[in-house]
Amino acid sequence: MAYKIAIIVGSLRRESLNRKVASSICGLRNDNLDCSMIEIGDLPLYNQELDDNPPAPWIRFRKQIAEADGVLFCSPEYNRGIPGVLKNAIDVGSRPYGQSVFDKKPAAIVTASPGSIGGFGANHQIRQAAVFLNMPVMQQPEAYLGHVSDDSFDESGCLKEGPLKEIVTGLAQAFHDWVDMIHRSRQLLAEDSAHRSQQETKAREHA
Ligand SMILES: Cc1cc2nc3c(=O)[nH]c(=O)nc-3n(C[C@H](O)[C@H](O)[C@H](O)COP(=O)(O)O)c2cc1C
């Protein structure tokens, strides 16, 4: 079964390296990850005053995340942190208070950069937000993809053969397994709990 994955790219650039990495992940595992890129460039800046009358793009974004089985963040690092556009999307999805669409969604975080430390700072800032958002984030493999450039991709925007593609292929498989484990475990727990309450009802009836 293919899990529905919402991909949030933290760059608005059409030729974004991170967007290409995200597309490659979709292409590599399209048999079991049904990926959609979620637009965040049109989200008005989060303002708590609008909670009672949310702008249409907020409603659209929240619905798309709510419908997903998992979330993949794929982002550049800006000044050693999360790009503003991505932080805004995280804030929009997290509110109104108590209605966060990110709650309990399994997630993975990938950061890619032409620099050598692969967006480590941004990666961990997203991770920090995910703790508060109550998202079980895949721990390994970590994905700080350094030295990524236009040259890492072919004309169609897919990763060329080589070590980077190998890392990303492993990552895509691990993310599928992570989402699968979480959803299956929850299903088993729900079945177990339903079975137990059935048994308890029967026991009460025969008491
Ligand atoms: C405002 C700004 C800040 C940046 N800061 C960093 C940084 O802190 N670390 C880093 O590795 N690259 C930094 N870069 C370079 C980006 O990694 C590079 O432009 C990358 O291609 C952006 O990702 P994208 O291709 O997905 O748009 C910065 C770029 C911009 C525009």
Side-chain angles (χ1 to χ4, degrees), residues 106-158:
I109 302 165
V110 177
T111 46
S113 167
S116 53
I117 55 175
F120 177 89
N123 193 302
H124 277 264
Q125 284 191 356
I126 302 168
R127 218 166 261 276
Q128 188 176 339
V131 172
F132 185 66
L133 294 170
N134 194 29
M135 303 179 86
V137 178
M138 183 172 79
Q139 302 299 307
Q140 295 290 337
E142 294 163 281
Y144 320 114
L145 308 178
H147 306 292
V148 181
S149 70
D150 289 332
D151 203 37
S152 310
F153 305 91
D154 62 23
E155 316 77 58
S156 60
C158 293

Short mmCIF file of all heavy atoms in Angstrom, two decimals, residues 106-158:
data_model
loop_
_atom_site.label_atom_id
_atom_site.label_comp_id
_atom_site.label_asym_id
_atom_site.label_seq_id
_atom_site.Cartn_x
_atom_site.Cartn_y
_atom_site.Cartn_z
N PRO A 106 3.96 11.05 11.30
CA PRO A 106 5.36 10.69 11.15
C PRO A 106 6.04 11.61 10.13
O PRO A 106 5.42 12.00 9.15
CB PRO A 106 5.32 9.24 10.64
CG PRO A 106 3.91 8.93 10.34
CD PRO A 106 3.04 9.99 10.92
N ALA A 107 7.30 11.93 10.41
CA ALA A 107 8.00 12.91 9.56
C ALA A 107 9.44 12.52 9.33
O ALA A 107 10.01 11.70 10.07
CB ALA A 107 7.96 14.28 10.23
N ALA A 108 10.00 13.09 8.27
CA ALA A 108 11.45 13.01 8.05
C ALA A 108 11.92 14.39 7.62
O ALA A 108 11.14 15.17 7.05
CB ALA A 108 11.79 11.97 6.98
N ILE A 109 13.18 14.67 7.94
CA ILE A 109 13.73 16.00 7.65
C ILE A 109 14.99 15.84 6.80
O ILE A 109 15.93 15.14 7.20
CB ILE A 109 14.07 16.74 8.95
CG1 ILE A 109 12.81 16.87 9.83
CG2 ILE A 109 14.65 18.13 8.64
CD1 ILE A 109 13.09 17.27 11.25
N VAL A 110 14.96 16.49 5.64
CA VAL A 110 16.12 16.47 4.74
C VAL A 110 16.52 17.92 4.50
O VAL A 110 15.66 18.76 4.21
CB VAL A 110 15.72 15.81 3.38
CG1 VAL A 110 16.89 15.86 2.41
CG2 VAL A 110 15.26 14.39 3.59
N THR A 111 17.80 18.19 4.62
CA THR A 111 18.28 19.52 4.23
C THR A 111 19.41 19.34 3.23
O THR A 111 20.27 18.47 3.39
CB THR A 111 18.78 20.33 5.45
OG1 THR A 111 19.63 19.51 6.27
CG2 THR A 111 17.63 20.83 6.29
N ALA A 112 19.37 20.16 2.18
CA ALA A 112 20.40 20.07 1.13
C ALA A 112 20.98 21.45 0.87
O ALA A 112 20.25 22.45 0.89
CB ALA A 112 19.80 19.50 -0.16
N SER A 113 22.29 21.47 0.64
CA SER A 113 22.98 22.75 0.44
C SER A 113 24.22 22.55 -0.42
O SER A 113 24.83 21.48 -0.38
CB SER A 113 23.40 23.29 1.82
OG SER A 113 24.30 24.35 1.68
N PRO A 114 24.61 23.59 -1.16
CA PRO A 114 25.90 23.50 -1.85
C PRO A 114 27.05 23.53 -0.84
O PRO A 114 28.17 23.13 -1.13
CB PRO A 114 25.93 24.78 -2.72
CG PRO A 114 24.55 25.33 -2.69
CD PRO A 114 23.90 24.83 -1.43
N GLY A 115 26.78 24.00 0.38
CA GLY A 115 27.81 24.08 1.42
C GLY A 115 28.15 22.71 1.98
O GLY A 115 27.46 21.72 1.71
N SER A 116 29.22 22.70 2.81
CA SER A 116 29.72 21.39 3.23
C SER A 116 28.96 20.81 4.41
O SER A 116 29.01 19.60 4.63
CB SER A 116 31.22 21.49 3.56
OG SER A 116 31.40 22.53 4.48
N ILE A 117 28.23 21.63 5.20
CA ILE A 117 27.58 21.03 6.37
C ILE A 117 26.10 20.72 6.12
O ILE A 117 25.37 20.34 7.05
CB ILE A 117 27.78 21.85 7.67
CG1 ILE A 117 27.32 23.29 7.49
CG2 ILE A 117 29.22 21.78 8.14
CD1 ILE A 117 27.40 24.10 8.78
N GLY A 118 25.69 20.86 4.87
CA GLY A 118 24.40 20.30 4.45
C GLY A 118 23.17 20.81 5.20
O GLY A 118 22.20 20.07 5.37
N GLY A 119 23.21 22.05 5.64
CA GLY A 119 22.01 22.61 6.29
C GLY A 119 21.74 22.03 7.67
O GLY A 119 20.59 21.98 8.11
N PHE A 120 22.80 21.63 8.35
CA PHE A 120 22.66 21.02 9.70
C PHE A 120 21.83 21.90 10.64
O PHE A 120 20.97 21.41 11.38
CB PHE A 120 24.06 20.76 10.27
CG PHE A 120 24.06 20.22 11.67
CD1 PHE A 120 24.01 18.85 11.90
CD2 PHE A 120 24.11 21.07 12.77
CE1 PHE A 120 24.01 18.34 13.19
CE2 PHE A 120 24.10 20.57 14.07
CZ PHE A 120 24.06 19.21 14.27
N GLY A 121 22.11 23.21 10.61
CA GLY A 121 21.43 24.13 11.53
C GLY A 121 19.93 24.15 11.29
O GLY A 121 19.13 24.05 12.22
N ALA A 122 19.54 24.28 10.01
CA ALA A 122 18.11 24.31 9.67
C ALA A 122 17.47 22.97 10.03
O ALA A 122 16.35 22.92 10.56
CB ALA A 122 17.93 24.60 8.20
N ASN A 123 18.16 21.90 9.71
CA ASN A 123 17.64 20.56 9.98
C ASN A 123 17.25 20.43 11.45
O ASN A 123 16.14 19.97 11.78
CB ASN A 123 18.72 19.54 9.59
CG ASN A 123 18.20 18.13 9.52
OD1 ASN A 123 17.67 17.63 10.50
ND2 ASN A 123 18.35 17.48 8.37
N HIS A 124 18.13 20.89 12.33
CA HIS A 124 17.85 20.72 13.76
C HIS A 124 16.83 21.73 14.28
O HIS A 124 16.15 21.46 15.27
CB HIS A 124 19.14 20.71 14.56
CG HIS A 124 19.75 19.33 14.54
ND1 HIS A 124 19.54 18.41 15.54
CD2 HIS A 124 20.46 18.71 13.57
CE1 HIS A 124 20.13 17.27 15.20
NE2 HIS A 124 20.70 17.42 14.01
N GLN A 125 16.70 22.86 13.59
CA GLN A 125 15.63 23.78 14.00
C GLN A 125 14.26 23.20 13.63
O GLN A 125 13.30 23.34 14.37
CB GLN A 125 15.82 25.16 13.37
CG GLN A 125 16.92 25.95 14.05
CD GLN A 125 16.96 27.40 13.61
OE1 GLN A 125 16.20 27.83 12.74
NE2 GLN A 125 17.85 28.16 14.19
N ILE A 126 14.18 22.55 12.48
CA ILE A 126 12.92 21.89 12.10
C ILE A 126 12.61 20.78 13.11
O ILE A 126 11.49 20.60 13.58
CB ILE A 126 12.98 21.34 10.66
CG1 ILE A 126 13.29 22.46 9.65
CG2 ILE A 126 11.66 20.64 10.29
CD1 ILE A 126 13.66 21.97 8.25
N ARG A 127 13.66 20.02 13.43
CA ARG A 127 13.53 18.92 14.41
C ARG A 127 13.00 19.44 15.75
O ARG A 127 12.16 18.84 16.40
CB ARG A 127 14.92 18.31 14.61
CG ARG A 127 14.96 16.82 14.77
CD ARG A 127 16.39 16.33 14.61
NE ARG A 127 16.60 15.82 13.26
CZ ARG A 127 16.30 14.58 12.88
NH1 ARG A 127 15.80 13.72 13.75
NH2 ARG A 127 16.51 14.19 11.65
N GLN A 128 13.53 20.62 16.15
CA GLN A 128 13.13 21.21 17.43
C GLN A 128 11.63 21.55 17.39
O GLN A 128 10.90 21.28 18.35
CB GLN A 128 13.94 22.48 17.66
CG GLN A 128 13.77 23.08 19.02
CD GLN A 128 14.69 24.28 19.21
OE1 GLN A 128 15.70 24.43 18.52
NE2 GLN A 128 14.34 25.14 20.13
N ALA A 129 11.18 22.12 16.27
CA ALA A 129 9.75 22.44 16.15
C ALA A 129 8.93 21.15 16.18
O ALA A 129 7.85 21.09 16.79
CB ALA A 129 9.49 23.21 14.86
N ALA A 130 9.45 20.10 15.54
CA ALA A 130 8.71 18.83 15.45
C ALA A 130 8.50 18.20 16.82
O ALA A 130 7.50 17.51 17.05
CB ALA A 130 9.44 17.86 14.53
N VAL A 131 9.40 18.46 17.75
CA VAL A 131 9.23 17.94 19.11
C VAL A 131 7.96 18.55 19.71
O VAL A 131 7.09 17.85 20.22
CB VAL A 131 10.46 18.29 20.00
CG1 VAL A 131 10.20 17.92 21.45
CG2 VAL A 131 11.70 17.57 19.49
N PHE A 132 7.85 19.86 19.59
CA PHE A 132 6.67 20.54 20.16
C PHE A 132 5.40 20.16 19.39
O PHE A 132 4.31 20.06 19.97
CB PHE A 132 6.87 22.06 20.13
CG PHE A 132 5.75 22.79 20.81
CD1 PHE A 132 5.55 22.68 22.18
CD2 PHE A 132 4.89 23.58 20.09
CE1 PHE A 132 4.51 23.33 22.81
CE2 PHE A 132 3.83 24.24 20.71
CZ PHE A 132 3.65 24.13 22.08
N LEU A 133 5.56 19.90 18.08
CA LEU A 133 4.40 19.55 17.26
C LEU A 133 3.95 18.11 17.47
O LEU A 133 2.97 17.66 16.88
CB LEU A 133 4.74 19.75 15.77
CG LEU A 133 4.99 21.20 15.35
CD1 LEU A 133 5.54 21.25 13.93
CD2 LEU A 133 3.73 22.02 15.45
N ASN A 134 4.71 17.35 18.29
CA ASN A 134 4.36 15.95 18.59
C ASN A 134 4.40 15.08 17.33
O ASN A 134 3.53 14.25 17.11
CB ASN A 134 2.99 15.87 19.26
CG ASN A 134 2.73 14.53 19.89
OD1 ASN A 134 3.67 13.84 20.31
ND2 ASN A 134 1.48 14.11 19.93
N MET A 135 5.43 15.32 16.50
CA MET A 135 5.61 14.51 15.29
C MET A 135 6.72 13.50 15.53
O MET A 135 7.84 13.90 15.86
CB MET A 135 6.02 15.40 14.10
CG MET A 135 5.06 16.50 13.80
SD MET A 135 5.59 17.53 12.41
CE MET A 135 4.92 16.59 11.05
N PRO A 136 6.44 12.20 15.39
CA PRO A 136 7.53 11.23 15.49
C PRO A 136 8.45 11.36 14.27
O PRO A 136 8.05 11.02 13.15
CB PRO A 136 6.82 9.87 15.53
CG PRO A 136 5.43 10.12 15.07
CD PRO A 136 5.13 11.58 15.14
N VAL A 137 9.64 11.87 14.50
CA VAL A 137 10.58 12.15 13.39
C VAL A 137 11.56 10.99 13.23
O VAL A 137 12.13 10.52 14.23
CB VAL A 137 11.37 13.44 13.64
CG1 VAL A 137 12.37 13.69 12.52
CG2 VAL A 137 10.43 14.63 13.78
N MET A 138 11.74 10.56 12.00
CA MET A 138 12.73 9.50 11.72
C MET A 138 14.10 10.00 12.21
O MET A 138 14.53 11.09 11.86
CB MET A 138 12.76 9.22 10.22
CG MET A 138 13.69 8.09 9.85
SD MET A 138 13.53 7.62 8.12
CE MET A 138 14.47 8.89 7.30
N GLN A 139 14.75 9.14 13.02
CA GLN A 139 16.04 9.55 13.59
C GLN A 139 17.21 9.26 12.65
O GLN A 139 18.12 10.07 12.51
CB GLN A 139 16.26 8.84 14.93
CG GLN A 139 15.18 9.09 15.95
CD GLN A 139 15.06 10.56 16.30
OE1 GLN A 139 16.05 11.19 16.68
NE2 GLN A 139 13.89 11.12 16.17
N GLN A 140 17.17 8.09 12.04
CA GLN A 140 18.27 7.68 11.16
C GLN A 140 17.70 7.11 9.87
O GLN A 140 16.67 6.43 9.93
CB GLN A 140 19.15 6.61 11.84
CG GLN A 140 19.89 7.11 13.06
CD GLN A 140 21.00 8.09 12.72
OE1 GLN A 140 21.51 8.11 11.60
NE2 GLN A 140 21.37 8.93 13.67
N PRO A 141 18.32 7.32 8.74
CA PRO A 141 19.56 8.09 8.59
C PRO A 141 19.28 9.59 8.68
O PRO A 141 18.22 10.04 8.22
CB PRO A 141 20.02 7.71 7.18
CG PRO A 141 18.78 7.31 6.45
CD PRO A 141 17.85 6.74 7.46
N GLU A 142 20.22 10.33 9.28
CA GLU A 142 20.11 11.78 9.24
C GLU A 142 20.44 12.23 7.83
O GLU A 142 21.19 11.55 7.13
CB GLU A 142 21.10 12.40 10.23
CG GLU A 142 20.77 12.07 11.67
CD GLU A 142 21.94 12.32 12.59
OE1 GLU A 142 22.85 11.47 12.63
OE2 GLU A 142 21.97 13.36 13.26
N ALA A 143 19.88 13.36 7.44
CA ALA A 143 20.07 13.77 6.04
C ALA A 143 20.51 15.23 5.95
O ALA A 143 19.70 16.13 5.76
CB ALA A 143 18.79 13.54 5.25
N TYR A 144 21.81 15.43 6.14
CA TYR A 144 22.41 16.75 5.91
C TYR A 144 23.18 16.60 4.60
O TYR A 144 24.31 16.10 4.60
CB TYR A 144 23.39 17.13 7.01
CG TYR A 144 22.92 16.76 8.41
CD1 TYR A 144 23.62 15.80 9.16
CD2 TYR A 144 21.80 17.36 8.98
CE1 TYR A 144 23.20 15.45 10.43
CE2 TYR A 144 21.37 17.01 10.26
CZ TYR A 144 22.08 16.05 10.98
OH TYR A 144 21.66 15.70 12.24
N LEU A 145 22.54 16.94 3.48
CA LEU A 145 23.15 16.66 2.19
C LEU A 145 24.01 17.85 1.76
O LEU A 145 23.50 18.91 1.40
CB LEU A 145 22.06 16.37 1.14
CG LEU A 145 21.03 15.28 1.53
CD1 LEU A 145 19.98 15.12 0.45
CD2 LEU A 145 21.73 13.95 1.82
N GLY A 146 25.30 17.67 1.83
CA GLY A 146 26.24 18.75 1.48
C GLY A 146 26.75 18.62 0.06
O GLY A 146 26.60 17.57 -0.58
N HIS A 147 27.34 19.71 -0.43
CA HIS A 147 27.95 19.75 -1.78
C HIS A 147 26.94 19.40 -2.88
O HIS A 147 27.32 18.81 -3.89
CB HIS A 147 29.17 18.81 -1.86
CG HIS A 147 30.18 19.08 -0.79
ND1 HIS A 147 30.93 20.24 -0.76
CD2 HIS A 147 30.55 18.36 0.30
CE1 HIS A 147 31.71 20.23 0.32
NE2 HIS A 147 31.50 19.10 0.98
N VAL A 148 25.68 19.72 -2.66
CA VAL A 148 24.67 19.48 -3.70
C VAL A 148 24.69 20.69 -4.65
O VAL A 148 24.80 21.84 -4.20
CB VAL A 148 23.25 19.32 -3.08
CG1 VAL A 148 22.21 19.04 -4.15
CG2 VAL A 148 23.26 18.20 -2.04
N SER A 149 24.63 20.43 -5.93
CA SER A 149 24.65 21.53 -6.91
C SER A 149 23.77 21.14 -8.09
O SER A 149 23.30 20.00 -8.18
CB SER A 149 26.08 21.79 -7.39
OG SER A 149 26.49 20.71 -8.19
N ASP A 150 23.60 22.07 -9.04
CA ASP A 150 22.81 21.76 -10.24
C ASP A 150 23.39 20.54 -10.95
O ASP A 150 22.66 19.77 -11.59
CB ASP A 150 22.79 22.96 -11.19
CG ASP A 150 21.96 24.09 -10.61
OD1 ASP A 150 21.02 23.80 -9.85
OD2 ASP A 150 22.26 25.26 -10.90
N ASP A 151 24.69 20.38 -10.80
CA ASP A 151 25.38 19.29 -11.47
C ASP A 151 25.02 17.91 -10.87
O ASP A 151 25.34 16.88 -11.47
CB ASP A 151 26.89 19.53 -11.35
CG ASP A 151 27.64 18.80 -12.44
OD1 ASP A 151 27.11 18.73 -13.56
OD2 ASP A 151 28.73 18.26 -12.14
N SER A 152 24.38 17.91 -9.71
CA SER A 152 24.00 16.63 -9.09
C SER A 152 22.80 15.99 -9.79
O SER A 152 22.46 14.84 -9.54
CB SER A 152 23.62 16.84 -7.62
OG SER A 152 24.60 17.56 -6.94
N PHE A 153 22.13 16.78 -10.69
CA PHE A 153 20.88 16.32 -11.31
C PHE A 153 21.01 16.27 -12.83
O PHE A 153 21.79 17.02 -13.42
CB PHE A 153 19.75 17.28 -10.93
CG PHE A 153 19.58 17.46 -9.45
CD1 PHE A 153 20.27 18.48 -8.79
CD2 PHE A 153 18.79 16.60 -8.70
CE1 PHE A 153 20.16 18.65 -7.40
CE2 PHE A 153 18.67 16.76 -7.32
CZ PHE A 153 19.35 17.78 -6.67
N ASP A 154 20.23 15.39 -13.44
CA ASP A 154 20.21 15.34 -14.91
C ASP A 154 19.23 16.38 -15.46
O ASP A 154 18.62 17.13 -14.70
CB ASP A 154 19.91 13.91 -15.40
CG ASP A 154 18.54 13.42 -14.96
OD1 ASP A 154 17.67 14.27 -14.68
OD2 ASP A 154 18.34 12.19 -14.88
N GLU A 155 19.06 16.38 -16.78
CA GLU A 155 18.22 17.41 -17.42
C GLU A 155 16.77 17.34 -16.93
O GLU A 155 16.07 18.36 -16.88
CB GLU A 155 18.18 17.30 -18.96
CG GLU A 155 19.51 17.05 -19.65
CD GLU A 155 19.94 15.61 -19.50
OE1 GLU A 155 19.19 14.71 -19.93
OE2 GLU A 155 21.03 15.37 -18.93
N SER A 156 16.31 16.13 -16.54
CA SER A 156 14.93 16.03 -16.09
C SER A 156 14.79 16.34 -14.59
O SER A 156 13.70 16.22 -14.02
CB SER A 156 14.37 14.64 -16.40
OG SER A 156 15.14 13.68 -15.73
N GLY A 157 15.89 16.74 -13.95
CA GLY A 157 15.82 17.12 -12.54
C GLY A 157 15.98 15.96 -11.57
O GLY A 157 15.80 16.14 -10.37
N CYS A 158 16.31 14.74 -12.12
CA CYS A 158 16.50 13.59 -11.22
C CYS A 158 17.97 13.48 -10.83
O CYS A 158 18.85 13.88 -11.59
CB CYS A 158 16.07 12.31 -11.91
SG CYS A 158 14.31 12.29 -12.20
#
